[in-house]
Amino acid sequence: MDVMCRCPQIFGLRRERLQENVDYFRDGLGIPKKQLVDVIHTFPRSLTYKIDSNLKPKLRFLRTELDFTKEEIREEVIDFPMLMSYSLEKRIESRCIHLRRCGVRIRTCQSEAKKRGRNHKSIKLKSMLLPSDDVFYNRYQEEATVHWLSHGTVKYDPSGVDQPEEEFFLDLGDLHASS
């Protein structure tokens, strides 16, 4: 009953649709029954998302772009079911791109950071998604956010993604004259 109170949208779904989502999490991702109950109890909206147009693209992105294994994706969904609520384009993908620019790797668990060595900057997927945009982009600022444009124009992008930007010009002719 608690699930229904926290996600009344479930009342409007057909039984078949709910079963399809349960089957996808259980059979497609391999989430065991006990853990699936925990996932649904923690985040009941997971039953409302369309599989082909919402869940699969997000999980495919984790697999192809972040090189997460099926087991790692399953553990991420179990550990952080709200992962499925974030927009692929507006949150997951844009933040992954920004972190790549910053030289930060996205990992699945603490033990993986130890395996890969402590010299490499990395954060958990959950830590990437939870903070607000302001907190996230202030926390992870690019070391080199200067992008060269044509004709000696340099565009400075302090946030790294589609934010208002300051522009300044650098005359490359001065550099050649002094050499």
Side-chain angles (χ1 to χ4, degrees), residues 18-29 36:
L18 292 170
Q19 189 62 51
E20 287 173 8
N21 281 37
V22 168
D23 292 346
Y24 179 72
F25 290 123
R26 189 186 58 228
D27 302 333
L29 287 177
L36 181 56

Side-chain angles (χ1 to χ4, degrees), residues 36-47:
L36 181 56
V37 168
D38 292 340
V39 166
I40 293 169
H41 186 265
T42 302
F43 191 63
R45 284 191 57 98
S46 60
L47 293 177

Side-chain angles (χ1 to χ4, degrees), residues 65-91:
E65 297 299 319
L66 300 180
D67 294 326
F68 285 11
T69 65
K70 182 178 178 181
E71 293 77 23
E72 290 170 328
I73 293 170
R74 179 181 59 239
E75 292 306 313
E76 286 296 320
V77 171
I78 292 168
D79 180 56
F80 185 52
M82 285 72 65
L83 156 68
M84 297 170 285
S85 70
Y86 293 101
S87 164
L88 177 59
E89 294 81 18
K90 294 179 184 174
R91 188 77 158 221

